[in-house]
Amino acid sequence: MATKERNTRNGVASKRRSSSRGGATTRAEGTGLSDEAHGPELDRYDIAILSELQREARLSNAELASRIGLSAAPTWRRVKWLEQQRYITGYRAELDRRRVGLGVLAFVRVDAERNNASATRSLEEAIRALPEVVACHYISGAGTFELHVVVTDLDAYSRWARDTLFKLPNVKDIHTSFSLGEVKSAAALPLSHLRA
């Protein structure tokens, strides 16, 4: 195993030496980066990778490389760097909630009884444990939390609110609005500000 690692390292080192000009390591092809390091800032290739993977996370590395105009090896290194730096936090399949029987999307404002640190933390933990809550935000103005809740139908929501939500610690009141239709429901974030 040690011999194999040494040979691999020697192979990489010899590639770097053979690609150097005038004693300096060349930049990885077209990337503006050396083989050894990635700078702290995102460049146009990183932004292109993020854009493409947001649109289609199942792209092969070869296809991704082709789309952004780099070869496979530097593309793979960049994806790994973006993952390590937490620009990319995961990959998942997007499901059509109606096709899996979740016909109701509710926006629920939760008013807390007390807003001290320990009571709020206790309510946060309870909300995180609820699979029906697909998103939760602290909000300004009236209320403490805004929940996005998915359930099968209105009766199911009524039961869930009565039997689960109102029984959470520190809940004083809830105010619910129901989605009557989705105009846009995209998970992709806008990245044009990064190119400026």
Side-chain angles (χ1 to χ4, degrees):
M1 185 66 177
T3 308
K4 188 175 180 184
E5 277 183 28
R6 205 164 31 249
N7 289 341
T8 303
R9 278 197 220 106
N10 289 342
V12 170
S14 65
K15 277 183 195 168
R16 286 185 184 148
R17 278 194 297 274
S18 65
S19 65
S20 63
R21 294 187 185 109
T25 304
T26 59
R27 299 286 177 184
E29 51 191 279
T31 66
L33 295 170
S34 71
D35 285 341
E36 287 88 312
H38 187 298
E41 302 296 324
L42 297 178
D43 65 19
R44 66 189 179 100
Y45 292 108
D46 298 320
I47 296 166
I49 287 169
L50 295 176
S51 295
E52 292 296 339
L53 289 180
Q54 280 198 113
R55 279 194 288 270
E56 194 176 346
R58 294 183 70 189
L59 284 174
S60 69
N61 187 64
E63 178 62 26
L64 177 60
S66 170
R67 290 191 186 188
I68 69 167
L70 284 180
S71 61
T75 299
W76 182 84
R77 285 196 298 272
R78 282 170 178 274
V79 170
K80 291 300 162 194
W81 184 85
L82 289 164
E83 290 170 353
Q84 289 161 3
Q85 300 300 313
R86 304 284 294 162
Y87 287 100
I88 297 172
T89 57
Y91 302 89
R92 64 180 183 181
E94 287 185 33
L95 307 183
D96 184 324
R97 64 178 174 82
R98 293 176 193 82
R99 294 283 293 165
V100 294
L102 297 170
V104 168
L105 169 61
F107 304 98
V108 186
R109 194 183 78 218
V110 175
D111 298 329
E113 195 78 55
R114 298 175 306 282
N115 282 316
N116 62 53
S118 62
T120 301
R121 193 161 38 250
S122 175
L123 181 52
E124 276 179 28
E125 289 169 5
I127 288 170
R128 281 193 198 99
L130 300 175
E132 297 85 357
V133 178
V134 294
C136 174
H137 299 269
Y138 282 115
I139 56 171
S140 60
T144 307
F145 297 104
E146 178 86 10
L147 313 182
H148 297 187
V149 177
V150 290
V151 290
T152 55
D153 54 39
L154 290 175
D155 289 338
Y157 176 78
S158 179
R159 285 192 304 273
W160 180 80
R162 184 182 62 244
D163 299 340
T164 302
L165 194 54
F166 271 119
K167 292 182 179 178
L168 295 183
N170 199 34
V171 170
K172 181 170 94 174
D173 199 6
I174 67 170
H175 307 272
T176 305
S177 301
F178 295 100
S179 170
L180 300 179
E182 291 175 5
V183 176
K184 184 178 181 182
S185 179
L189 299 175
L191 302 178
S192 58
H193 63 288
L194 297 175
R195 296 189 180 95

